[in-house]
Every structure is written in C-alpha cells, then in structure tokens.
PDB file of all heavy atoms in Angstrom:
ATOM      1  N   LEU A  27      12.300   8.246   8.104  1.00 72.00           N
ATOM      2  CA  LEU A  27      11.035   8.937   8.134  1.00 72.00           C
ATOM      3  C   LEU A  27      11.038   9.824   9.337  1.00 72.00           C
ATOM      4  O   LEU A  27      10.023  10.346   9.721  1.00 72.00           O
ATOM      5  CB  LEU A  27       9.837   7.947   8.142  1.00 72.00           C
ATOM      6  CG  LEU A  27       9.527   7.356   6.740  1.00 72.00           C
ATOM      7  CD1 LEU A  27      10.551   6.423   6.287  1.00 72.00           C
ATOM      8  CD2 LEU A  27       8.156   6.688   6.823  1.00 72.00           C
ATOM      9  N   ASP A  28      12.103  10.145   9.898  1.00 62.00           N
ATOM     10  CA  ASP A  28      12.251  10.996  11.005  1.00 62.00           C
ATOM     11  C   ASP A  28      11.938  12.475  10.642  1.00 62.00           C
ATOM     12  O   ASP A  28      12.198  12.793   9.503  1.00 62.00           O
ATOM     13  CB  ASP A  28      13.647  10.942  11.672  1.00 62.00           C
ATOM     14  CG  ASP A  28      13.927   9.553  12.141  1.00 62.00           C
ATOM     15  OD1 ASP A  28      13.093   8.744  12.455  1.00 62.00           O
ATOM     16  OD2 ASP A  28      15.208   9.244  12.092  1.00 62.00           O
ATOM     17  N   ILE A  29      11.445  13.195  11.588  1.00 51.00           N
ATOM     18  CA  ILE A  29      11.202  14.603  11.321  1.00 51.00           C
ATOM     19  C   ILE A  29      12.528  15.282  11.112  1.00 51.00           C
ATOM     20  O   ILE A  29      12.717  16.109  10.295  1.00 51.00           O
ATOM     21  CB  ILE A  29      10.389  15.278  12.419  1.00 51.00           C
ATOM     22  CG1 ILE A  29       8.906  14.668  12.378  1.00 51.00           C
ATOM     23  CG2 ILE A  29      10.385  16.714  12.291  1.00 51.00           C
ATOM     24  CD1 ILE A  29       8.061  15.083  13.506  1.00 51.00           C
ATOM     25  N   MET A  30      13.495  14.896  11.940  1.00 49.00           N
ATOM     26  CA  MET A  30      14.840  15.424  11.802  1.00 49.00           C
ATOM     27  C   MET A  30      15.693  14.332  11.160  1.00 49.00           C
ATOM     28  O   MET A  30      15.551  13.115  11.515  1.00 49.00           O
ATOM     29  CB  MET A  30      15.454  15.760  13.141  1.00 49.00           C
ATOM     30  CG  MET A  30      14.678  16.848  13.879  1.00 49.00           C
ATOM     31  SD  MET A  30      14.590  18.427  12.909  1.00 49.00           S
ATOM     32  CE  MET A  30      16.310  18.991  13.041  1.00 49.00           C
ATOM     33  N   PRO A  31      16.622  14.657  10.216  1.00 45.00           N
ATOM     34  CA  PRO A  31      17.411  13.568   9.566  1.00 45.00           C
ATOM     35  C   PRO A  31      18.317  12.909  10.553  1.00 45.00           C
ATOM     36  O   PRO A  31      18.747  13.386  11.572  1.00 45.00           O
ATOM     37  CB  PRO A  31      18.272  14.436   8.561  1.00 45.00           C
ATOM     38  CG  PRO A  31      18.167  15.779   8.972  1.00 45.00           C
ATOM     39  CD  PRO A  31      16.901  15.998   9.725  1.00 45.00           C
ATOM     40  N   LYS A  32      18.625  11.617  10.268  1.00 48.00           N
ATOM     41  CA  LYS A  32      19.546  10.900  11.049  1.00 48.00           C
ATOM     42  C   LYS A  32      20.921  11.463  11.007  1.00 48.00           C
ATOM     43  O   LYS A  32      21.321  12.146  10.028  1.00 48.00           O
ATOM     44  CB  LYS A  32      19.629   9.453  10.491  1.00 48.00           C
ATOM     45  CG  LYS A  32      18.419   8.611  10.810  1.00 48.00           C
ATOM     46  CD  LYS A  32      18.644   7.173  10.235  1.00 48.00           C
ATOM     47  CE  LYS A  32      17.482   6.356  10.543  1.00 48.00           C
ATOM     48  NZ  LYS A  32      17.617   4.991  10.101  1.00 48.00           N
ATOM     49  N   THR A  33      21.743  11.112  12.016  1.00 47.00           N
ATOM     50  CA  THR A  33      23.114  11.480  11.976  1.00 47.00           C
ATOM     51  C   THR A  33      23.829  10.832  10.784  1.00 47.00           C
ATOM     52  O   THR A  33      23.542   9.693  10.385  1.00 47.00           O
ATOM     53  CB  THR A  33      23.875  11.005  13.271  1.00 47.00           C
ATOM     54  OG1 THR A  33      23.170  11.510  14.366  1.00 47.00           O
ATOM     55  CG2 THR A  33      25.286  11.398  13.275  1.00 47.00           C
ATOM     56  N   MET A  34      24.611  11.618  10.059  1.00 43.00           N
ATOM     57  CA  MET A  34      25.249  11.107   8.851  1.00 43.00           C
ATOM     58  C   MET A  34      26.139   9.901   9.228  1.00 43.00           C
ATOM     59  O   MET A  34      27.019  10.074  10.054  1.00 43.00           O
ATOM     60  CB  MET A  34      26.013  12.211   8.152  1.00 43.00           C
ATOM     61  CG  MET A  34      25.194  13.357   7.764  1.00 43.00           C
ATOM     62  SD  MET A  34      23.753  12.909   6.853  1.00 43.00           S
ATOM     63  CE  MET A  34      22.567  13.948   7.738  1.00 43.00           C
ATOM     64  N   ASN A  35      25.997   8.850   8.480  1.00 43.00           N
ATOM     65  CA  ASN A  35      26.870   7.648   8.558  1.00 43.00           C
ATOM     66  C   ASN A  35      27.423   7.472   7.247  1.00 43.00           C
ATOM     67  O   ASN A  35      26.985   7.961   6.264  1.00 43.00           O
ATOM     68  CB  ASN A  35      26.007   6.508   9.095  1.00 43.00           C
ATOM     69  CG  ASN A  35      25.584   6.694  10.499  1.00 43.00           C
ATOM     70  OD1 ASN A  35      26.327   7.207  11.361  1.00 43.00           O
ATOM     71  ND2 ASN A  35      24.396   6.293  10.775  1.00 43.00           N
ATOM     72  N   ILE A  36      28.292   6.471   7.170  1.00 37.00           N
ATOM     73  CA  ILE A  36      28.883   6.039   5.812  1.00 37.00           C
ATOM     74  C   ILE A  36      27.697   5.501   4.971  1.00 37.00           C
ATOM     75  O   ILE A  36      26.860   4.714   5.636  1.00 37.00           O
ATOM     76  CB  ILE A  36      29.964   5.050   6.009  1.00 37.00           C
ATOM     77  CG1 ILE A  36      31.175   5.706   6.634  1.00 37.00           C
ATOM     78  CG2 ILE A  36      30.329   4.390   4.657  1.00 37.00           C
ATOM     79  CD1 ILE A  36      32.329   4.870   6.994  1.00 37.00           C
ATOM     80  N   ALA A  37      27.598   5.849   3.715  1.00 36.00           N
ATOM     81  CA  ALA A  37      26.468   5.370   2.933  1.00 36.00           C
ATOM     82  C   ALA A  37      26.441   3.819   2.896  1.00 36.00           C
ATOM     83  O   ALA A  37      27.475   3.192   2.784  1.00 36.00           O
ATOM     84  CB  ALA A  37      26.646   5.952   1.505  1.00 36.00           C
ATOM     85  N   SER A  38      25.269   3.337   2.906  1.00 35.00           N
ATOM     86  CA  SER A  38      25.074   1.885   2.915  1.00 35.00           C
ATOM     87  C   SER A  38      23.763   1.568   2.248  1.00 35.00           C
ATOM     88  O   SER A  38      22.902   2.419   2.268  1.00 35.00           O
ATOM     89  CB  SER A  38      25.236   1.231   4.285  1.00 35.00           C
ATOM     90  OG  SER A  38      24.192   1.745   5.148  1.00 35.00           O
ATOM     91  N   THR A  39      23.576   0.351   1.851  1.00 36.00           N
ATOM     92  CA  THR A  39      22.338  -0.147   1.379  1.00 36.00           C
ATOM     93  C   THR A  39      21.929  -1.477   2.035  1.00 36.00           C
ATOM     94  O   THR A  39      22.936  -2.149   2.539  1.00 36.00           O
ATOM     95  CB  THR A  39      22.223  -0.319  -0.204  1.00 36.00           C
ATOM     96  OG1 THR A  39      23.208  -1.332  -0.542  1.00 36.00           O
ATOM     97  CG2 THR A  39      22.527   0.944  -0.889  1.00 36.00           C
ATOM     98  N   LYS A  40      20.692  -1.817   1.963  1.00 38.00           N
ATOM     99  CA  LYS A  40      20.321  -3.128   2.544  1.00 38.00           C
ATOM    100  C   LYS A  40      19.162  -3.607   1.782  1.00 38.00           C
ATOM    101  O   LYS A  40      18.375  -2.824   1.268  1.00 38.00           O
ATOM    102  CB  LYS A  40      20.071  -3.027   4.058  1.00 38.00           C
ATOM    103  CG  LYS A  40      18.818  -2.228   4.379  1.00 38.00           C
ATOM    104  CD  LYS A  40      18.493  -2.384   5.813  1.00 38.00           C
ATOM    105  CE  LYS A  40      17.237  -1.657   6.167  1.00 38.00           C
ATOM    106  NZ  LYS A  40      16.609  -2.058   7.302  1.00 38.00           N
ATOM    107  N   GLN A  41      18.943  -4.942   1.745  1.00 42.00           N
ATOM    108  CA  GLN A  41      17.740  -5.552   1.074  1.00 42.00           C
ATOM    109  C   GLN A  41      16.685  -5.596   2.138  1.00 42.00           C
ATOM    110  O   GLN A  41      16.929  -6.178   3.208  1.00 42.00           O
ATOM    111  CB  GLN A  41      18.143  -6.882   0.578  1.00 42.00           C
ATOM    112  CG  GLN A  41      17.014  -7.435  -0.166  1.00 42.00           C
ATOM    113  CD  GLN A  41      17.395  -8.819  -0.796  1.00 42.00           C
ATOM    114  OE1 GLN A  41      18.462  -9.356  -0.553  1.00 42.00           O
ATOM    115  NE2 GLN A  41      16.466  -9.332  -1.652  1.00 42.00           N
ATOM    116  N   GLU A  42      15.513  -5.119   1.859  1.00 43.00           N
ATOM    117  CA  GLU A  42      14.374  -5.170   2.772  1.00 43.00           C
ATOM    118  C   GLU A  42      13.884  -6.614   2.883  1.00 43.00           C
ATOM    119  O   GLU A  42      13.631  -7.155   1.726  1.00 43.00           O
ATOM    120  CB  GLU A  42      13.351  -4.175   2.385  1.00 43.00           C
ATOM    121  CG  GLU A  42      13.789  -2.730   2.412  1.00 43.00           C
ATOM    122  CD  GLU A  42      14.383  -2.227   3.692  1.00 43.00           C
ATOM    123  OE1 GLU A  42      14.142  -2.919   4.751  1.00 43.00           O
ATOM    124  OE2 GLU A  42      15.072  -1.253   3.751  1.00 43.00           O
ATOM    125  N   LYS A  43      13.692  -7.132   3.910  1.00 48.00           N
ATOM    126  CA  LYS A  43      13.179  -8.522   4.080  1.00 48.00           C
ATOM    127  C   LYS A  43      11.745  -8.601   4.605  1.00 48.00           C
ATOM    128  O   LYS A  43      11.208  -9.611   4.651  1.00 48.00           O
ATOM    129  CB  LYS A  43      14.088  -9.235   5.030  1.00 48.00           C
ATOM    130  CG  LYS A  43      15.526  -9.302   4.548  1.00 48.00           C
ATOM    131  CD  LYS A  43      16.222 -10.546   4.976  1.00 48.00           C
ATOM    132  CE  LYS A  43      17.685 -10.696   4.541  1.00 48.00           C
ATOM    133  NZ  LYS A  43      18.177 -10.010   3.431  1.00 48.00           N
ATOM    134  N   SER A  44      11.162  -7.473   4.916  1.00 46.00           N
ATOM    135  CA  SER A  44       9.829  -7.538   5.406  1.00 46.00           C
ATOM    136  C   SER A  44       9.028  -6.357   4.820  1.00 46.00           C
ATOM    137  O   SER A  44       9.532  -5.228   4.662  1.00 46.00           O
ATOM    138  CB  SER A  44       9.785  -7.533   6.945  1.00 46.00           C
ATOM    139  OG  SER A  44      10.377  -6.302   7.464  1.00 46.00           O
ATOM    140  N   LEU A  45       7.703  -6.552   4.646  1.00 49.00           N
ATOM    141  CA  LEU A  45       6.926  -5.515   4.022  1.00 49.00           C
ATOM    142  C   LEU A  45       6.849  -4.147   4.854  1.00 49.00           C
ATOM    143  O   LEU A  45       6.913  -3.078   4.239  1.00 49.00           O
ATOM    144  CB  LEU A  45       5.446  -6.092   3.924  1.00 49.00           C
ATOM    145  CG  LEU A  45       4.442  -5.105   3.406  1.00 49.00           C
ATOM    146  CD1 LEU A  45       4.712  -4.614   2.063  1.00 49.00           C
ATOM    147  CD2 LEU A  45       3.014  -5.779   3.366  1.00 49.00           C
ATOM    148  N   GLU A  46       6.841  -4.337   6.125  1.00 47.00           N
ATOM    149  CA  GLU A  46       6.726  -3.040   6.917  1.00 47.00           C
ATOM    150  C   GLU A  46       7.966  -2.195   6.832  1.00 47.00           C
ATOM    151  O   GLU A  46       7.961  -1.028   7.138  1.00 47.00           O
ATOM    152  CB  GLU A  46       6.453  -3.310   8.415  1.00 47.00           C
ATOM    153  CG  GLU A  46       7.334  -4.272   9.144  1.00 47.00           C
ATOM    154  CD  GLU A  46       7.051  -5.696   8.987  1.00 47.00           C
ATOM    155  OE1 GLU A  46       6.196  -6.107   8.107  1.00 47.00           O
ATOM    156  OE2 GLU A  46       7.627  -6.517   9.676  1.00 47.00           O
ATOM    157  N   HIS A  47       9.071  -2.701   6.272  1.00 61.00           N
ATOM    158  CA  HIS A  47      10.262  -1.902   6.029  1.00 61.00           C
ATOM    159  C   HIS A  47      10.428  -1.526   4.528  1.00 61.00           C
ATOM    160  O   HIS A  47      11.310  -0.784   4.183  1.00 61.00           O
ATOM    161  CB  HIS A  47      11.507  -2.683   6.487  1.00 61.00           C
ATOM    162  CG  HIS A  47      11.518  -2.955   7.925  1.00 61.00           C
ATOM    163  ND1 HIS A  47      11.644  -4.217   8.467  1.00 61.00           N
ATOM    164  CD2 HIS A  47      11.385  -2.154   9.079  1.00 61.00           C
ATOM    165  CE1 HIS A  47      11.622  -4.133   9.770  1.00 61.00           C
ATOM    166  NE2 HIS A  47      11.414  -2.838  10.166  1.00 61.00           N
ATOM    167  N   GLU A  48       9.608  -2.079   3.696  1.00 73.00           N
ATOM    168  CA  GLU A  48       9.669  -1.886   2.252  1.00 73.00           C
ATOM    169  C   GLU A  48       8.727  -0.773   1.842  1.00 73.00           C
ATOM    170  O   GLU A  48       9.039  -0.120   0.903  1.00 73.00           O
ATOM    171  CB  GLU A  48       9.319  -3.235   1.571  1.00 73.00           C
ATOM    172  CG  GLU A  48       9.061  -3.140   0.155  1.00 73.00           C
ATOM    173  CD  GLU A  48       8.589  -4.508  -0.354  1.00 73.00           C
ATOM    174  OE1 GLU A  48       9.425  -5.413  -0.559  1.00 73.00           O
ATOM    175  OE2 GLU A  48       7.356  -4.675  -0.530  1.00 73.00           O
ATOM    176  N   VAL A  49       7.601  -0.690   2.494  1.00 76.00           N
ATOM    177  CA  VAL A  49       6.525   0.272   2.037  1.00 76.00           C
ATOM    178  C   VAL A  49       6.483   1.474   2.980  1.00 76.00           C
ATOM    179  O   VAL A  49       6.706   1.327   4.229  1.00 76.00           O
ATOM    180  CB  VAL A  49       5.122  -0.500   1.943  1.00 76.00           C
ATOM    181  CG1 VAL A  49       4.630  -0.869   3.343  1.00 76.00           C
ATOM    182  CG2 VAL A  49       4.154   0.412   1.305  1.00 76.00           C
ATOM    183  N   PHE A  50       6.313   2.633   2.421  1.00 72.00           N
ATOM    184  CA  PHE A  50       6.053   3.779   3.197  1.00 72.00           C
ATOM    185  C   PHE A  50       5.142   4.763   2.497  1.00 72.00           C
ATOM    186  O   PHE A  50       4.939   4.659   1.275  1.00 72.00           O
ATOM    187  CB  PHE A  50       7.286   4.517   3.714  1.00 72.00           C
ATOM    188  CG  PHE A  50       8.179   5.134   2.656  1.00 72.00           C
ATOM    189  CD1 PHE A  50       7.978   6.418   2.311  1.00 72.00           C
ATOM    190  CD2 PHE A  50       9.112   4.417   1.993  1.00 72.00           C
ATOM    191  CE1 PHE A  50       8.724   7.046   1.298  1.00 72.00           C
ATOM    192  CE2 PHE A  50       9.966   5.017   1.039  1.00 72.00           C
ATOM    193  CZ  PHE A  50       9.705   6.334   0.706  1.00 72.00           C
ATOM    194  N   GLY A  51       4.519   5.689   3.280  1.00 73.00           N
ATOM    195  CA  GLY A  51       3.517   6.564   2.682  1.00 73.00           C
ATOM    196  C   GLY A  51       2.143   6.021   2.771  1.00 73.00           C
ATOM    197  O   GLY A  51       1.192   6.608   2.343  1.00 73.00           O
ATOM    198  N   GLU A  52       2.084   4.722   3.260  1.00 73.00           N
ATOM    199  CA  GLU A  52       0.665   4.096   3.202  1.00 73.00           C
ATOM    200  C   GLU A  52      -0.276   4.798   4.206  1.00 73.00           C
ATOM    201  O   GLU A  52      -1.436   4.798   3.959  1.00 73.00           O
ATOM    202  CB  GLU A  52       0.913   2.597   3.602  1.00 73.00           C
ATOM    203  CG  GLU A  52       1.142   2.223   5.033  1.00 73.00           C
ATOM    204  CD  GLU A  52       2.568   2.429   5.414  1.00 73.00           C
ATOM    205  OE1 GLU A  52       3.349   2.922   4.655  1.00 73.00           O
ATOM    206  OE2 GLU A  52       2.804   2.098   6.614  1.00 73.00           O
ATOM    207  N   LEU A  53       0.159   5.263   5.338  1.00 73.00           N
ATOM    208  CA  LEU A  53      -0.647   6.005   6.269  1.00 73.00           C
ATOM    209  C   LEU A  53      -1.374   7.185   5.621  1.00 73.00           C
ATOM    210  O   LEU A  53      -2.580   7.461   5.694  1.00 73.00           O
ATOM    211  CB  LEU A  53      -0.071   6.239   7.571  1.00 73.00           C
ATOM    212  CG  LEU A  53       0.332   5.068   8.399  1.00 73.00           C
ATOM    213  CD1 LEU A  53       1.007   5.491   9.676  1.00 73.00           C
ATOM    214  CD2 LEU A  53      -0.832   4.149   8.683  1.00 73.00           C
ATOM    215  N   SER A  54      -0.504   8.051   5.056  1.00 75.00           N
ATOM    216  CA  SER A  54      -1.027   9.250   4.403  1.00 75.00           C
ATOM    217  C   SER A  54      -1.892   8.859   3.305  1.00 75.00           C
ATOM    218  O   SER A  54      -2.985   9.517   3.010  1.00 75.00           O
ATOM    219  CB  SER A  54       0.169  10.099   3.854  1.00 75.00           C
ATOM    220  OG  SER A  54       0.954  10.526   4.846  1.00 75.00           O
ATOM    221  N   TRP A  55      -1.573   7.828   2.499  1.00 75.00           N
ATOM    222  CA  TRP A  55      -2.418   7.322   1.384  1.00 75.00           C
ATOM    223  C   TRP A  55      -3.708   6.888   1.853  1.00 75.00           C
ATOM    224  O   TRP A  55      -4.742   7.291   1.311  1.00 75.00           O
ATOM    225  CB  TRP A  55      -1.568   6.318   0.609  1.00 75.00           C
ATOM    226  CG  TRP A  55      -2.351   5.705  -0.506  1.00 75.00           C
ATOM    227  CD1 TRP A  55      -2.706   6.390  -1.723  1.00 75.00           C
ATOM    228  CD2 TRP A  55      -2.978   4.434  -0.597  1.00 75.00           C
ATOM    229  NE1 TRP A  55      -3.367   5.570  -2.546  1.00 75.00           N
ATOM    230  CE2 TRP A  55      -3.562   4.329  -1.881  1.00 75.00           C
ATOM    231  CE3 TRP A  55      -2.916   3.325   0.253  1.00 75.00           C
ATOM    232  CZ2 TRP A  55      -4.237   3.211  -2.325  1.00 75.00           C
ATOM    233  CZ3 TRP A  55      -3.571   2.225  -0.181  1.00 75.00           C
ATOM    234  CH2 TRP A  55      -4.228   2.129  -1.421  1.00 75.00           C
ATOM    235  N   VAL A  56      -3.729   5.963   2.818  1.00 75.00           N
ATOM    236  CA  VAL A  56      -5.013   5.459   3.333  1.00 75.00           C
ATOM    237  C   VAL A  56      -5.885   6.536   3.946  1.00 75.00           C
ATOM    238  O   VAL A  56      -7.078   6.578   3.663  1.00 75.00           O
ATOM    239  CB  VAL A  56      -4.746   4.286   4.364  1.00 75.00           C
ATOM    240  CG1 VAL A  56      -5.983   3.904   5.116  1.00 75.00           C
ATOM    241  CG2 VAL A  56      -4.146   3.110   3.691  1.00 75.00           C
TER     242      VAL A  56
END
C-alpha cells in the first residue's frame, strides 16, 4: 500500500494470519 512500489523481489505468496494484514481499503471505506 506504499505510494511508491516496493523494490522488485522474486514473486512469493503468503497466508495472512491476522485481520490487519488481510483487510485493506477499510479506512477509505469508513
């Protein structure tokens, strides 16, 4: 959610284990 994109790394995925890392857009929505 950075204004500037992160440095490119090797593509990876991860399973989110906490709500604060799973949800986004909530501040604009609220």
Side-chain angles (χ1 to χ4, degrees):
L27 281 69
D28 302 331
I29 293 172
M30 298 301 290
K32 288 183 178 179
T33 304
M34 300 310 135
N35 295 319
I36 294 175
S38 64
T39 62
K40 67 174 184 159
Q41 183 177 9
E42 300 301 344
K43 301 211 179 334
S44 61
L45 176 60
E46 57 273 12
H47 297 124
E48 168 187 281
V49 65
F50 67 92
E52 77 283 3
L53 293 179
S54 295
W55 177 70
V56 168

